[in-house]
């Protein structure tokens, strides 16, 4: 019979025990748990609830358990349910009777809330750091390919020419918003729950502010019931992660498209590609495909925790044990995806002649020709109609804009003149010279601003 | 043949036209669209791209279209696809030729981004206001029931007594985090996209900062491709809404439980209840059930937009049209749910004698008895074991703690003394006297702090 | 005070009334509701519970209400909550006192279950019909393009040549599984719930089998509590729809890719495309983009209903009202998407020379060359390695397989001979001559089998 | 440099290698993989593609690898990516050169499809078996508590009395539909994909029907592209599992409610409960809470795979690697949840006196009183109104139906007579005597039918 089953007359059913045990996954929180217990022991001593000597004894025991775990010598037991009871039981073995004093004013309910918040704070910080790494890789690539023109797309159809750097900066912006979201999440995570007890608070005069300081929290929780029931900080991380993965899936999709033989815009480095077991010629952009595919699990984990929390009455319910695995999986997935994407970007080869050639195909300068007419005095909507008819004529003739004679142009509007010939990819880019536009001047300015943001 | 189909040789298939038309739902954005077009006309005039007179003419036309819509006299046509083209076409009818000048430096891609951001800013502000209304209702109820004791639950089992006010304040805290999330979302929404054109920026010297000021935006977007591809502000609202609905579903679940004949803790006011078509005695807490049930649609809308955006290459793709209906539905659902929940809280009758009676049943003071032993010198874990055995004994005897003799107590520990009798619901509450605890003193302090937060 | 509120002392709060009213969307079920009530009136008369004359009177009243609704003359009132009470109230106005007899042995709980099942049966049947329509369009297209060779892809990289018809038949297979799933769903939907009352069954001797026959159901429900609590048939439809939309999103993605200037494999008909408001040259595959984008809402609706049902105690709870809107939306979305996809397929232009040219590029025949070596006696894995090195050499030389001399071939294996030159796209296709393979013979056989399946 | 990287000039990046490796989880498929390879070797020999001796050699090698794995002596290497290449590489070590022949006419793409289908078939069968186990436990419990009356609920309010057995049979029905869905899924899973090669079929005359027979499949796939791209069988399992978990979450919710001190209807056995680390009196229905909570992960896994598959072009893409972990997790979760629920049901103690007492409280017989009036000639709706007023009166007086005098009854309708007193819980039950109703006679009949279904 286990320590917490004293009022029961039976052992747990073996299947039920395995079903309920969280130790297979919450052992990952051993460091947070021990850190929290050490701080708690100090707080108990500070309040005179236990003696300084007992506190030292407990801290010594906990430290040596941490070492055991780190050396792989600790035996986790499902029978002991979770990381807290595993460590507590071992502490009894190590220091005996005194171990029983640690759990004064300490419940597994506020303990797990603490462990998770410590873990989540670290996860948020690390995520922000890796987002910035990827942003840096994008900036480096943008700067290294400043003269590369690509067709800009809407509906995956050629729309208007843009600089590759401008396109990459769009992702920089997305990640910048991601950083802001994780910062908000971090701020809301940075709240000490210890001292909330099982749900109602504790009846010992421990100093919660001291605990917050010891454990590096900026604030203490304001309501004990909320403190043990709340998993918002996990949901919020998962929601922010889902948005980041959404961004990365868009980027991955483009890398995959651009790597196809039809596009041929880029080539993923061998180090980020794999071959085929049957087709000797294959080089697959696997990392991008996996990043795109893993979006699913991150969305799923978000859905999972939202479902688990739906309609759950206060305060702690065992359902909350389901908060961990999906969260860990999302953190691991996001961090590794950010990592490999940064590596993939840094080693990506861009085929600038090919992208320029693609941009030059077709009627990508149609908007510029319409703008040309507008500048000669025609309202935009009419100019749009004239150029649409011009495009239709050119397609029927199998000609590009460049292959049309001035005569042919003038069939559609007398305002066309020789200078229509000076509309080029370059002139098109240069014309979009407002903040946020793709004109080289603007893009250079945007790169400088982005660089500065990275240093914040 | 419609204006934008000039290069085509065929009309749209009727089914395809209906499938693609967004006018049935995006007409809701008419006001934002017209507001944006008026500002755009001013910016065009300011930049000398059109004359002041043309601008005035256009603005007059747009204003009178707004009136037509508001009077219900505007005929929306699916053939014209969306709100932008419906308004543009009507403007042509009204002011002729000049209407064609409005779309200089203006694409549907940046136009819809603008409309949605204007709408979303308003949605965020209104959501924050209603969250505060519900917080206010919770505070009022907490203050009006300051002496009500309820059983605090973990695992839906009696755990420790708490004040109802303390329990309600847990929801106050949740909503406070919700407010912070919507504020962050609002900040990231508050960015002007106009001037991004179709995707690459525009080739006319319009003043984007002027536009931002005209339309009440704090910042302008930094990348034109991102500006037309980005729907983060919608996803983020939906994620924040999902969390709020999760909170409300937890509250609704408790109202439903507490309204059951078995609990009998509260009674929902007749104005928030319904009857049965077949069982004459029924009074159902429908509003709470619906709030709980509607959590599903809000989660679903979040999942929907995340799915739509997954792996979507830049920049605008028609898939983005799917951003609206789920978003509108979430905004409407959240706002109305917050509203009816506030009303339900304000009119809720609490049966304080019944909750006290429930709290007094069983062995809810067991932790306090363990704490009692700890204060007499026994380590907590051992005290826990002793009391667990005491509970088992009492259950076997069919006795409450109060019905046990001192003799019986002392069979489990010699440290028990007469003063064990002074452990009551009230002493239990009073003992939890740390910040965030349920002691009346702490709860009163928490109420004062909450009241102050509401005024921010 | 409304009929069902007789035990209450207050009217509903206006906001709560609007919040709770389902009439804005459940009026769509008027026909099912009236059909069910007519059958119920007959069953009551048959059992002698009401007189034949009363039954006739009721049926006459209900029929005329149906006509009113169909002529748009019925005024739906939110105050009356739902379609059942709206019709019941109107029946009172029309036939007076006798109307009150209709609700003997009839609860809104079994009534709405009936209405939904009638609707869902129809939805399943119609879905199956439209799936078959799309299958037919795919078959017609496959047969009409029997000689078109395309590059087959894995990882969006050229893998092996395949017939376009073979590729289209892959979608035929997916839809065939969809048909099977909707058939299973239909079977489980085809169960009469009437006679379950509010939850416990009814205390009148109505003949449930008679009702089943009248209303076209194959079976009657076996448990009254389940009958009013169960929404599996809606969840199952939504899950099947999610899978179908997933299939259609894959197809849509390919149409979009293939329509890009870089692929240039197909051209969507003007009738299924739209233009741009700013770029005169644009022709966008909007229908495919919308089909892909609408996958989100169908996934979201599935997640919504699953969330609503999670942890809902038996039997009827008002949360169940949330079963309808998402379901209707999914049915409408799926049916219209199937429709427009069929139209798009029927009118799609395939550029067979372009796809052949694309297939001929690169090293798509590498597997065939490895197979060539295997047939000369080398184990496959070694042959694979040899050809991989050959590919690397050819890439370095900038040569295609066809441009390599026999000498160059033989540097990699002495087994290469003149006949390596006879490896062509056609020989590659012809070689895959097992059931399910892309050899023309197999594909023709598969087309015949598919045609037969359509007739089932 | 690994075998499949011969055309590359670089090793994989370490991070990318770890990111892409599936061996940490797909090693679970070793048995299926080896089984498939053995059958494939036989088929190659049968077709004369390899010699009988080579086949025997290969089979011997594979068998001994299986043993190594089962004895825990196999070293899985992430560098070798997946289970297929790990086994292939080991086979080379064991039997050398000949190992290279196994992969003739065999791609990882059809291999993994095979492995997953073998696994999924087993998962479906096992799921059906455990569903039946739980059904059996429910039937046993229903039969063992045949005389237990509980309040039937709608809106968690007392509605009408029902037999507990009737209530439990509602869950039997849900699980019966689950069984049907898994059977449909099994049927669609039972299709051999081998012989589809990488995507186009294979160019060797292997006998696919022979392979199907060897591996226990009923049918062979009809299209090679579909065969390697299709994961419907996984999505369908996950969707069916989500529905089953939804059912179990409803059941779990009821167990949790019924275990509360306020309901007191049942007591979970000690073997399925846990205690508290801080509150000595606690006995928590953890297994039910976990079952409810785990609904989240199963919903999430469904959402995950649907997201991953959205808009994925044909045929195999690396995204598909994401099909496994969520699937395994869902299978494990569902099987263990069914198991522990069956155990919990089998050991559940029901407090029949308490449930009867609860049923007797309040006005649960109101419908019966309305029916009483109907039988005396009043239309139901009027009877409903009369009884609603009677209830309101009784509540005001603080009386139960039994405490009202005949006089008081008659104030509301002259049709009330002495026999209104014979309306009891038992008469109410007995009256609902239609198929599917809660009358004891019907429930006994339903139990017999259910028992027969279990034997199918």
């Amino acid at each position: 019979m286990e320590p917490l089953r004293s009022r029961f007359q039976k052992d747990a059913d073996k299947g039920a025990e395995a079903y309920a045990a969280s130790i297979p996954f919450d052992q990952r929180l051993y460091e947070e748990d021990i850190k929290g217990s050490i701080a708690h022991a100090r707080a108990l001593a500070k309040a005179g609830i236990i003696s300084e000597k007992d506190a030292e004894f407990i801290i010594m025991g906990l430290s040596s358990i941490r070492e055991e775990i780190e050396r792989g010598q600790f035996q986790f037991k499902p029978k002991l349910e979770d990381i807290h009871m595993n460590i507590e039981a071992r502490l009894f073995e190590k220091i005996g009777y005194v171990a029983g004093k640690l759990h004064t004013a300490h419940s597994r309910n506020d303990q797990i809330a603490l462990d998770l918040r410590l873990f989540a704070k670290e996860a948020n910080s690390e995520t922000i750091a890796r987002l910035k790494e990827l942003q840096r890789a994008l900036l480096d690539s943008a700067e290294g390919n400043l003269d590369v023109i690509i067709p800009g797309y809407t509906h995956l159809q050629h729309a208007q020419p843009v600089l590759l750097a401008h396109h990459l900066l769009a992702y920089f912006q997305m990640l910048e918003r991601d950083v802001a979201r994780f910062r908000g999440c971090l701020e809301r995570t940075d709240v000490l729950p210890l001292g909330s007890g099982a749900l109602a608070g504790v009846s010992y005069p421990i100093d919660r502010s001291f605990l917050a300081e010891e454990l590096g929290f900026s604030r203490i929780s304001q309501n004990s019931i909320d403190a043990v029931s709340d998993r918002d900080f996990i949901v919020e991380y998962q929601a922010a992660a889902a948005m980041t993965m959404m961004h990365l899936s868009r980027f991955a999709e483009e890398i995959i498209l651009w790597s196809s033989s039809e596009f041929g815009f880029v080539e993923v480095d061998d180090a980020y590609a794999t071959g085929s077991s049957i087709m000797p010629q294959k080089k697959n952009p696997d990392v991008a495909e996996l990043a795109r595919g893993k979006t699913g699990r991150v969305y799923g984990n978000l859905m999972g925790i939202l479902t688990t929390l739906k309609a759950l009455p206060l305060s702690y319910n065992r359902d909350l044990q389901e908060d961990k695995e999906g969260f860990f999986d999302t953190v691991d997935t996001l961090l590794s995806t950010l990592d490999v994407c940064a590596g993939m970007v840094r080693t990506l080869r861009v085929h600038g002649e090919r992208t320029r050639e693609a941009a030059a195909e077709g009627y990508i300068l149609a908007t510029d020709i319409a703008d040309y007419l507008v500048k000669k005095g025609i309202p935009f909507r009419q100019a749009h109609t004239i150029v649409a008819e011009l495009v239709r004529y050119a397609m029927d003739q199998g000609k590009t804009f460049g292959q049309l004679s001035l005569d042919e142009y003038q069939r559609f509007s007398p305002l066309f003149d020789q200078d229509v010939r000076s509309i080029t990819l370059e002139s098109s880019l240069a014309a979009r010279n407002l903040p946020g536009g793709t004109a080289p001047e603007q893009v250079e300015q945007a790169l400088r601003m982005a660089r500065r943001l990275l240093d914040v």
Side-chain angles (χ1 to χ4, degrees), chain A:
Chain A
M1 192 64 66
E2 290 315 309
L4 307 185
R5 301 182 63 83
S6 343
R7 64 155 281 210
F8 296 165
Q9 308 185 355
K10 265 197 212 173
D11 261 344
D13 170 80
K14 283 292 143 200
E17 187 178 291
Y19 189 71
S22 57
I23 190 66
F25 47 89
D26 69 10
Q27 54 179 262
R28 177 162 178 173
L29 298 170
Y30 79 92
E31 202 175 342
E32 288 82 0
D33 200 65
I34 289 174
K35 196 173 162 190
S37 288
I38 288 175
H40 185 64
R42 289 209 179 104
L44 288 174
K46 179 162 179 289
I49 300 165
I50 64 174
S51 68
E52 282 293 345
K53 224 182 103 189
D54 282 354
E56 270 170 48
F57 215 41
I58 288 171
I59 290 169
M60 196 197 63
L62 289 167
S63 302
S64 94
I65 289 172
R66 177 162 46 198
E67 272 173 52
E68 281 181 22
I69 296 175
E70 274 160 9
R71 281 199 308 265
Q73 290 166 349
F74 190 97
Q75 212 194 329
F76 294 105
K77 300 182 189 152
K79 202 177 186 59
L80 289 166
E81 296 188 12
D82 56 28
I83 184 65
H84 323 299
M85 295 313 295
N86 268 275
I87 290 173
E88 181 178 332
R90 184 79 184 111
L91 191 63
F92 266 93
E93 289 171 9
K94 282 189 167 284
I95 65 168
Y97 178 84
V98 173
K101 300 191 177 178
L102 175 61
H103 287 275
T104 321
H106 209 203
S107 158
R108 288 191 291 183
N109 296 356
D110 58 357
Q111 228 179 322
I112 190 60
L114 173 77
D115 296 0
L116 283 168
R117 281 182 184 267
L118 284 170
F119 179 89
K121 280 180 65 179
E122 182 62 27
N124 275 290
S125 300
E126 186 60 28
T127 304
I128 291 167
R130 301 224 192 165
L131 281 164
K132 282 177 174 287
E133 255 330 294
L134 178 52
Q135 284 183 307
R136 198 163 282 127
L138 288 166
L139 279 196
D140 291 349
S141 177
E143 288 174 353
N145 292 286
L146 247 183
D147 54 347
V148 175
I149 302 174
I150 63 169
Y153 296 82
T154 62
H155 308 260
L156 208 63
Q157 299 288 315
H158 287 187
Q160 295 168 355
V162 295
L163 286 181
L164 173 63
H166 190 57
H167 192 95
L168 294 177
L169 278 168
Y171 286 103
F172 181 93
Q173 288 294 325
M174 294 180 215
L175 299 177
E176 191 61 23
R177 286 189 296 275
D178 290 327
V179 166
R181 272 187 289 267
F182 283 106
R183 280 190 180 136
C185 180
L186 176 54
E187 200 184 312
R188 282 177 284 277
T189 305
D190 188 16
V191 177
L192 175 92
L194 274 195
S196 301
L199 81 154
V202 296
S203 61
Y204 302 85
I206 54 170
D207 182 347
R208 298 189 65 211
S209 301
F210 167 79
L211 276 168
E213 213 170 304
E214 281 285 297
L215 291 164
F217 283 95
S218 306
R219 285 170 301 145
I220 63 169
S221 60
Q222 298 300 306
N223 183 286
S224 60
I225 297 179
D226 179 48
V228 301
S229 311
D230 170 36
R231 292 298 184 269
D232 280 14
F233 59 101
I234 289 178
V235 188
E236 188 172 352
Y237 182 94
Q238 300 236 38
M243 273 183 265
T244 303
M245 286 301 291
M246 179 265 281
H247 294 151
L248 298 178
S249 76
R250 299 181 79 167
F251 184 63
E253 171 86 1
E254 297 202 315
I255 295 295
I256 294 163
L257 289 180
W258 292 356
S259 300
S260 71
S261 145
E262 285 73 14
F263 277 79
F265 288 6
V266 298
E267 192 180 342
V268 164
D269 189 73
D270 283 4
Y272 291 87
T274 63
S276 156
S277 70
I278 201 156
M279 296 163 293
Q281 85 280 17
K282 293 298 294 294
K283 175 172 167 182
N284 302 320
D286 290 74
V287 160
E289 293 171 89
L290 283 165
R292 185 177 62 180
K294 282 176 189 292
T295 309
R297 76 197 302 153
V298 174
Y299 285 12
N301 289 337
L302 168 61
M303 196 60 214
I305 186 68
L306 280 171
T307 301
T308 295
L309 292 171
K310 182 231 163 187
L312 204 58
L314 306 185
S315 61
Y316 183 85
N317 296 280
R318 191 66 178 265
D319 314 55
L320 289 182
Q321 181 169 308
E322 288 291 308
D323 56 2
K324 287 171 208 66
E325 286 165 284
F327 180 38
F328 293 162
D329 186 59
T330 288
V331 172
D332 294 342
T333 301
L334 182 54
L335 293 180
S336 59
T337 303
L338 287 168
D339 243 17
V340 293
C341 283
M344 184 176 66
V345 168
R346 292 204 172 284
T347 55
L348 195 69
R349 243 179 315 282
V350 175
H351 298 312
E353 341 67 59
R354 167 68 191 124
T355 60
R356 197 187 199 293
E357 178 192 293
E361 277 164 22
Y363 304 94
I364 206 168
L365 296 173
T367 316
D368 295 276
I369 297 178
D371 286 341
Y372 166 95
L373 290 174
V374 169
K375 277 152 196 170
K376 301 223 169 178
I378 299 184
F380 182 78
R381 183 58 67 228
Q382 285 84 326
H384 180 280
T385 306
I386 290 167
V387 180
E389 278 157 10
L390 179 71
V391 168
R392 190 160 149 188
Y393 169 81
M395 289 174 76
D396 286 348
Q397 304 293 317
K399 294 186 176 172
T400 64
F401 284 140
Q403 293 166 332
L404 294 175
S405 68
L406 186 54
D407 230 46
E408 287 173 302
Y409 271 109
Q410 290 175 342
R411 276 188 232 164
F412 294 87
S413 169
L415 294 173
F416 280 119
D417 210 338
Q418 274 308 341
D419 56 354
V420 75
R421 303 253 175 246
S422 60
I423 298 175
T424 61
L425 292 178
E426 280 74 11
S427 77
S428 173
L429 290 171
R432 283 160 181 80
N433 197 15
L434 290 190
T438 196
E441 191 183 324
Q442 295 295 338
V443 172
E444 278 162 39
Q445 166 70 3
L447 283 168
R448 279 191 298 274
M449 284 178 56
R451 202 53 88 180
R452 275 199 298 277
L453 273 173
L454 267 191
D455 298 336
V456 179

